[in-house]
Amino acid sequence: MLFHILYPLHETYSFFNVFRYITFRTIYAAITALVLCFVIGPWLIRKLQELQIGQTIREDGPDSHHVKKGTPTMGGILIIFTVTISTFLWANLTVGYIWLTIMVMVGYGLIGFLDDYRKITRHDSRGVPGRVRLAAEIAIALFVSIILYIKPGFNSNVTIPFFKTVLPNIGWGYILLATFIIVGAANAVNLTDGLDGLAIGPAITCFMTYLLFAYFAGNTKIATYLQIPYVAGTGELAIFCGAVVGAGIGFLWYNAYPAQVFMGDVGSLSLGGSLGVLAILTKQEILLAIVGGIFVLETFSVIFQVGWFKLSHGKRIFRMAPIHHHFELKGWPEPKVIVRFWIISVLLALVAISTLKLR
């Protein structure tokens, strides 16, 4: 909005020419979201407490988690609101990719909201039935994937890390791949959200990484130099990423151990879904597995645990899944688990960025 109002004034006042630069608007999108979190956060936490919107704890979880019962949840509303406002203020809203990404964030946030609401009202950690929730997630992801597939200028080639000339075109199969990535990313972040600040830390790192990817993919010269696919318009997604980074830092202020508020499914699903869309729009689909390696690890720990439990008739690989609970039960203090996972996420992000030159 500010871009559309203020940038045209550059013809009269040269100062406003600064609004043409994506880097400038990205920085201030992050600052805007961060400040909004600091302004709105305390009020939202008080309101959640007044409405008795407290966290329900899984009965088979670690004993140390029972003290968290009743801590305000659904704090992801703060992230969605501040990111949306900040993006609308600083982005070029004529770019359709911005609207698609916001749509996924809000759509998945709504699914998470309904899931959280059911948990709270029924005092049951299971929430919306899994099949219903998954069907809703697939419906949104499928809609976005079809829109992209038929959009002129957006191709169905898949970028393979480390191979600059290997760009297989999988045709309509790209719709299935894109749907899988969006749904998979959403649920991977959701599974990771089990400790104070555990999910938001790697999420900030991932969005910072895709901020770079978006900027690079949307710049003809940089994309040519790095030999990565050029996707016109994706540069504006850097502003969305900047807003998420700012909102994530602001939310972490309240979510750091010991947490004053949890993001809930409304936050984890919306962050994961939008991260999946960014991977697709920037044509760095496969690289998401490295950038979001922590989320992948958490997901596979659950898959392997459940699979082995069924195949071995009751035996377990980990003491508890997702894997962060395994380390808790081994005696690691919660802050140590969180910070070590953050460190790993930063290392994985650096590896992913390095692949832009390892081609």
Side-chain angles (χ1 to χ4, degrees):
M1 190 179 298
L2 291 177
F3 171 78
H4 297 286
I5 295 172
L6 299 179
Y7 178 60
L9 298 177
H10 78 280
E11 296 179 359
T12 306
Y13 304 99
S14 60
F15 167 78
F16 290 105
N17 193 52
V18 73
F19 282 88
R20 68 178 286 200
Y21 298 110
I22 290 174
T23 49
F24 172 81
R25 289 184 284 124
T26 298
I27 290 170
Y28 280 91
I31 293 173
T32 300
L34 177 61
V35 171
L36 285 173
C37 279
F38 287 157
V39 172
I40 301 171
W43 173 84
L44 178 63
I45 293 172
R46 286 196 303 271
K47 185 59 66 175
L48 292 172
Q49 288 173 332
E50 290 172 7
L51 296 173
Q52 297 184 336
I53 300 177
Q55 179 73 15
T56 56
I57 305 297
R58 53 186 280 193
E59 295 180 1
D60 61 339
D63 293 337
S64 60
H65 284 216
H66 291 293
V67 298
K68 300 181 181 184
K69 186 175 182 180
T71 301
T73 187
M74 297 176 71
I77 294 172
L78 179 65
I79 298 173
I80 296 173
F81 178 77
T82 55
V83 169
T84 303
I85 295 298
S86 184
T87 302
F88 282 167
L89 283 175
W90 295 100
N92 180 351
L93 299 179
T94 62
V95 176
Y97 295 147
I98 289 289
W99 291 98
L100 275 179
T101 309
I102 290 291
M103 186 195 78
V104 171
M105 169 170 270
V106 174
Y108 274 68
L110 180 59
I111 295 171
F113 177 86
L114 295 174
D115 196 43
D116 287 333
Y117 181 78
R118 185 182 175 98
K119 291 176 182 177
I120 294 164
T121 55
R122 299 197 175 195
H123 303 286
D124 188 342
S125 62
R126 287 175 292 186
V128 173
R131 292 183 180 179
V132 175
R133 194 177 87 167
L134 184 61
E137 293 173 7
I138 291 174
I140 294 174
L142 190 60
F143 174 76
V144 172
S145 302
I146 293 173
I147 292 294
L148 290 176
Y149 182 71
I150 64 178
K151 186 182 185 302
F154 193 90
N155 61 59
S156 53
N157 294 81
V158 178
T159 304
I160 308 298
F162 305 107
F163 298 95
K164 63 183 179 182
T165 58
V166 180
L167 296 166
N169 189 323
I170 58 176
W172 62 266
Y174 195 85
I175 296 175
L176 300 179
L177 176 64
T179 300
F180 173 78
I181 290 173
I182 297 171
V183 174
N187 286 283
V189 176
N190 183 244
L191 285 171
T192 307
D193 184 31
L195 302 179
D196 300 356
L198 179 60
I200 195 63
I204 292 170
T205 303
C206 289
F207 279 97
M208 288 183 69
T209 305
Y210 272 96
L211 186 159
L212 295 176
F213 292 165
Y215 184 75
F216 295 160
N219 187 297
T220 309
K221 293 182 179 179
I222 296 178
T224 301
Y225 171 72
L226 293 175
Q227 298 181 317
I228 60 176
Y230 167 69
V231 186
T234 54
E236 289 294 321
L237 291 173
I239 294 160
F240 173 84
C241 292
V244 177
V245 170
I249 294 172
F251 179 75
L252 183 58
W253 184 271
Y254 308 106
N255 186 233
Y257 181 87
Q260 295 173 257
V261 65
F262 300 134
M263 70 168 67
D265 289 356
V266 63
S268 58
L269 288 178
S270 59
L271 285 173
S274 52
L275 184 60
V277 173
L278 286 168
I280 295 160
L281 293 175
T282 58
K283 305 304 294 180
Q284 297 297 339
E285 309 94 340
I286 308 302
L287 206 54
L288 180 59
I290 299 177
V291 179
I294 285 294
F295 303 133
V296 174
L297 174 64
E298 295 274 19
T299 302
F300 276 105
S301 71
V302 173
I303 293 173
F304 291 150
Q305 180 85 323
V306 173
W308 183 247
F309 186 84
K310 291 180 177 179
L311 290 173
S312 63
H313 304 290
K315 294 183 180 179
R316 303 173 186 269
I317 300 174
F318 308 107
R319 296 187 180 185
M320 185 178 291
I323 198 169
H324 56 259
H325 290 319
H326 170 77
F327 292 113
E328 274 192 289
L329 294 178
K330 284 188 66 176
W332 290 19
E334 184 172 336
K336 179 173 287 189
V337 178
I338 296 164
V339 173
R340 286 182 173 177
F341 274 46
W342 286 358
I343 292 171
I344 295 171
S345 72
V346 172
L347 292 174
L348 289 171
L350 292 174
V351 170
I353 295 170
S354 74
T355 65
L356 298 180
K357 290 299 293 180
L358 299 175
R359 295 172 182 269

